Amino acid sequence: MESIKQGKPFMVLDVEGASNCRPYNIGYIIGDKYGNIYEKRSIAILPCIWENLQNSNSFTKHMTHKNIQEVLNDIENSNSKYCYSSIEKVKELILKDCLQYRINEIWSYTLFDKSALKRLFQDDFQVLEKSIAFYDIVPAIVHTSLLNKKYVKWCRKNGYVTEKGNIQTKAEIVYRYLAGKTNFKEEHTALSDSEIEFEILLSAINSGKKIDRKEKR
């Protein structure tokens, strides 16, 4: 039997929550460049749910997709897709996973996820930053020419342009292009979004071109 190739594990992270609150939903995948997945987490943080609800005006303004109601409805479900956790427990779990898999790279789509994690960890965030670099997936897919002339043409054909006429690079659109699924819609739950972002990142890593690792500060 042919052995399965394994590479150095990294994390792809996604969060849900208002921009001025701690995230109420964290999802991440720990995998490698060969597509092996070692861990998946889907975490709901109850104290942060109340925090986001109390900031409902800001929440409505900054969030167009939210799964708070689903999270609340799922609490009593024995087959819930969320692991319900306190703030301290989720911090311990993330640190434990990073240590177990020797994670030194965390990837996410845009700067939002790192800043949200920083709000959650507060002073303890220094522990992560000392040994882990945070990278943005968007420069990685742009600078490997994953989003090439063919992608631009495809976006224009399908109307995936901004009001200013710029080509869209959000994860939902990029995944539609890579997967050939023009009807695909993000769930906007942290784990499901991290799953498509993992696939997008793998496409860049396996493009044969150098990845632009632009660390998030």
Side-chain angles (χ1 to χ4, degrees):
M1 181 181 294
E2 185 178 352
S3 61
I4 298 174
K5 288 185 177 180
Q6 290 187 320
K8 184 170 177 51
F10 55 84
M11 180 185 290
V12 175
L13 169 79
D14 189 86
V15 307
E16 299 292 332
S19 59
N20 63 340
C21 299
R22 292 173 294 185
Y24 66 85
N25 179 206
I26 292 179
Y28 57 85
I29 287 178
I30 294 176
D32 64 28
K33 67 179 182 179
Y34 299 109
N36 299 311
I37 295 176
Y38 306 106
E39 202 72 71
K40 285 186 180 184
R41 302 287 188 195
S42 178
I43 308 164
I45 310 167
L46 288 176
C48 300
I49 291 176
W50 314 137
E51 182 179 314
N52 277 269
L53 287 173
Q54 287 168 355
N55 285 269
S56 57
N57 290 336
S58 175
F59 189 88
T60 303
K61 179 180 178 182
H62 294 288
M63 296 284 289
T64 55
H65 301 276
K66 46 190 180 290
N67 61 327
I68 283 184
Q69 194 58 53
E70 178 188 76
V71 171
L72 292 175
N73 290 342
D74 223 24
I75 291 177
E76 302 299 329
N77 184 355
S78 59
N79 295 317
S80 173
K81 62 183 179 182
Y82 300 99
C83 166
Y84 291 85
S85 178
S86 67
I87 293 171
E88 288 306 314
K89 289 294 183 183
V90 73
K91 286 159 61 174
E92 289 174 10
L93 180 61
I94 292 172
L95 289 170
K96 172 182 157 294
D97 282 345
C98 287
L99 183 63
Q100 179 180 346
Y101 294 101
R102 300 181 181 179
I103 300 297
N104 60 17
E105 292 183 4
I106 294 180
W107 292 82
S108 62
Y109 224 84
T110 77
L111 297 169
F112 177 78
D113 304 272
K114 179 184 177 181
S115 61
L117 202 62
K118 194 170 186 176
R119 287 194 294 276
L120 184 73
F121 271 73
Q122 298 183 337
D123 291 342
D124 294 329
F125 192 70
Q126 297 174 10
V127 178
L128 283 177
E129 279 194 308
K130 284 181 180 178
S131 58
I132 298 174
F134 287 77
Y135 294 120
D136 193 339
I137 293 174
V138 177
I141 62 178
V142 171
H143 293 286
T144 55
S145 297
L146 188 64
L147 306 191
N148 49 28
K149 290 181 180 179
K150 185 177 178 183
Y151 176 76
V152 171
K153 183 178 179 180
W154 178 83
C155 281
R156 294 198 185 283
K157 177 183 176 182
N158 290 282
Y160 302 140
V161 294
T162 66
E163 291 182 359
K164 294 183 178 180
N166 296 320
I167 300 302
Q168 292 190 17
T169 57
K170 59 185 182 181
E172 182 178 79
I173 303 303
V174 174
Y175 185 76
R176 287 180 186 179
Y177 171 72
L178 293 174
K181 300 177 180 177
T182 53
N183 294 324
F184 172 79
K185 290 187 180 296
E186 283 183 298
E187 288 185 19
H188 292 288
T189 60
L191 178 59
S192 64
D193 287 359
S194 68
E195 287 174 332
I196 69 165
E197 289 159 11
F198 178 68
E199 294 299 325
I200 291 169
L201 180 58
L202 284 186
S203 295
I205 291 172
N206 295 317
S207 67
K209 298 181 180 181
K210 185 178 179 181
I211 291 290
D212 186 350
R213 283 176 161 78
K214 194 168 186 177
E215 188 169 358
K216 300 178 180 181
R217 294 295 183 182

